DNA sequence: CGTTCTGTTGATCGAACTCAACTAGTGTGG
DNA sequence: CCACACTAGTTGAGTTCGATCAACAGAACG
């Protein structure tokens, strides 16, 4: 999607300030009172919910370009926590700034809404995975998700990548225990679908992995062409 | 939130056409090519995903006022199916109409985005439930959800209501089998939390049920006050 | 250079699934 | 208008997937 110079300026305006976050630092805690949103500029983060019994459900992994804390549009306290998984740069802006942007650039409002829907669909896919697929499928699916999102991060080779997640985190994303995630890794290795060397994961048989994961390519069906033409 | 007459008109404009749907009818099938959105005017619907093995994950129950198929903003084919659970009236409109509305009423755009976030948070709550809570908690949680959304539907008594769902559907929403949903109902009865009479559910001990369900009241923290003042 | 985190593996347990049979409604069409 | 089919709910028996508990090794870290 092409942006007019004015639209580009408006988006850049949201990234004026920068906040640096060390790996492991919280950007937002659950129930934090905040009226800020963020755009992630560099690094990797995750958002999650905590339950009464202390267990954690990871909702989403965040990568550069992602908008963070859109829920502040509806809630005065954050329903979810956001934490840096690597050293990060996040750009905060007030929710009022988003309202201004909507007023000045309705086409961007529609585009942001569309991006939002993509995120929503990712959430529904994760829900279906957790609710209706095997442990092996869920772990395979996380591997494919991380790979898809880190691809083109410079490293060159596309089928080898660093996960950047502990097995505990993968468990919290998929509704499994760390122990069982470990066993699923082993099984995927034994099946010849992946290999692991020094913290890196190698996808040996991507097609089979996608089958094992019930993978649906949501990028294939993208269609932003209906947006009104830029003025 | 108060609307200006112009804003009210704009929203009403989306509800000009009506489509009647009999119970059990599909409004949208998965992969349908559609550029329409809908506002549900009367009745109850659900949206779901189907997996390769034929299993189904129900994503959401829809009630009057809900927007349907927002994902057409980003996708040319629907990622999810939408089916009427009772006789329904849905109002279709083109996605272009939404773009026009955004241009004319930026404040409504922000408000719709905020509503969207509420729906997103409901999804994350469901995800955390399916990923990290017991079968009993998940069933209890569906009961509370349905009650909350059907409340004030005229029937008077608030702690007695008709579910309008089969146990199979509850299972598909919670990631359980119909058989196990049935056993959880029985357990909730034996625990004295609910009773069932002639297809109606009675909440006998709502506080305990909320505890059993890990219930979080997401309406309590709502805050739409930041929206720019109406002009 | 101990301490903590992460990963690994074994043994056992238990929650939820599967399969199967049966009942009670609800159509519905001959 | 009744026999038959179909759906929804119920219950029992046996199985399985993933959890839990426990122990240990190596890496990371202050």
């Amino acid at each position: 999607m092409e942006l007019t110079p004015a639209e580009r300026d408006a988006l850049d305006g949201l990234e004026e300030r920068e906040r640096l976050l060390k790996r492991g630092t919280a950007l937002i805690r659950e129930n934090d009172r905040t009226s800020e949103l963020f755009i992630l500029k560099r690094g990797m983060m995750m958002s999650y919910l905590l339950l009464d019994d202390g267990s954690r459900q990871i909702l989403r992994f965040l990568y550069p370009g992602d908008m963070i804390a859109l829920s502040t549009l509806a809630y005065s306290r954050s329903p979810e926590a956001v934490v840096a998984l690597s050293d990060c740069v996040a750009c905060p802006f007030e929710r009022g700034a988003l309202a201004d942007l909507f007023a000045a650039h309705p086409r961007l409002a529609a585009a942001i809404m569309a991006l939002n829907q993509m995120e929503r669909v990712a959430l529904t896919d994760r829900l279906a995975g957790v609710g209706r697929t095997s442990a092996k499928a869920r772990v395979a699916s996380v591997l494919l998700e991380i790979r898809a999102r880190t691809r083109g991060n410079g490293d060159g080779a596309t089928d080898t990548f660093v996960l950047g997640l502990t097995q505990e985190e993968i468990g919290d994303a998929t509704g499994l225990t760390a122990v069982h995630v470990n066993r699923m890794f082993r099984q995927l290795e034994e099946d010849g679908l992946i290999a692991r060397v020094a913290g890196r994961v190698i996808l040996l048989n991507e097609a089979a992995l996608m089958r094992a994961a019930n993978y649906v390519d949501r990028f294939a069906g993208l269609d932003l062409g209906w947006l009104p033409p830029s003025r």
Side-chain angles (χ1 to χ4, degrees), chain A:
Chain A
M1 169 178 172
E2 290 141 43
L3 300 176
T4 65
E7 287 172 340
R8 164 79 22 229
D9 282 354
L11 283 180
D12 288 346
L14 300 180
E15 297 193 28
E16 262 167 10
R17 287 183 294 152
E18 291 194 348
R19 192 177 303 177
L20 298 171
L21 290 154
K22 285 225 191 71
R23 177 164 162 274
T25 317
L27 177 62
I28 303 169
R29 277 173 302 270
E30 239 175 295
N31 290 319
D32 265 6
R33 178 175 287 280
T34 166
S35 58
E36 276 181 328
L37 311 180
F38 303 85
I39 292 174
L40 183 54
K41 199 168 192 175
R42 224 194 321 281
M44 177 186 185
M45 310 188 79
M46 65 174 175
S47 73
Y48 59 85
L49 292 179
L50 291 176
L51 286 92
D52 304 344
D53 65 354
S55 61
R56 174 176 71 170
Q57 176 67 52
I58 294 179
L59 303 171
R60 187 179 183 205
F61 298 110
L62 297 148
Y63 291 90
D66 285 340
M67 267 201 188
I68 301 174
L70 270 166
S71 49
T72 50
L73 297 187
Y75 297 96
S76 54
R77 292 170 177 279
S78 174
E80 65 198 69
V82 180
V83 167
L85 286 167
S86 67
D87 292 350
C88 288
V89 180
C91 304
F93 58 92
E94 283 298 315
R95 53 189 179 186
L98 196 65
D100 295 345
L101 182 143
F102 276 25
H105 303 283
R107 200 170 81 102
L108 278 186
I112 288 172
M113 196 116 174
L115 287 179
N116 235 248
Q117 290 309 313
M118 293 176 60
E119 197 223 311
R120 198 196 89 108
V121 170
L123 255 183
T124 62
D125 283 341
R126 185 186 293 281
L127 176 58
V130 170
R132 288 298 186 209
T133 72
S134 69
K136 203 199 276 193
R138 297 185 224 170
V139 171
S141 155
V142 168
L143 291 181
L144 289 170
E145 179 189 345
I146 301 296
R147 204 283 305 268
R149 302 227 46 190
T150 50
R151 191 191 305 230
N153 261 14
D155 290 11
T158 64
D159 54 352
T160 300
F161 59 99
V162 178
L163 256 190
L165 296 173
T166 66
Q167 294 182 359
E168 173 127 38
E169 284 157 353
I170 296 175
D172 284 343
T174 53
L176 301 169
T177 58
V179 172
H180 204 61
V181 168
N182 185 285
R183 290 195 227 272
M184 292 304 102
F185 266 111
R186 180 142 315 284
Q187 261 191 255
L188 290 171
E189 273 187 327
E190 280 164 8
D191 295 351
L193 301 185
I194 65 167
R196 286 178 296 163
V197 184
R200 298 179 155 267
V201 176
I202 307 171
L203 306 190
L204 297 176
N205 185 343
E206 199 170 331
L209 197 62
M210 284 166 71
R211 249 175 286 122
N214 255 261
Y215 185 78
V216 180
D217 182 5
R218 296 297 186 187
F219 285 91
L222 270 184
D223 170 24
L224 267 43
W226 65 279
L227 289 170
S230 50
R231 281 165 299 142

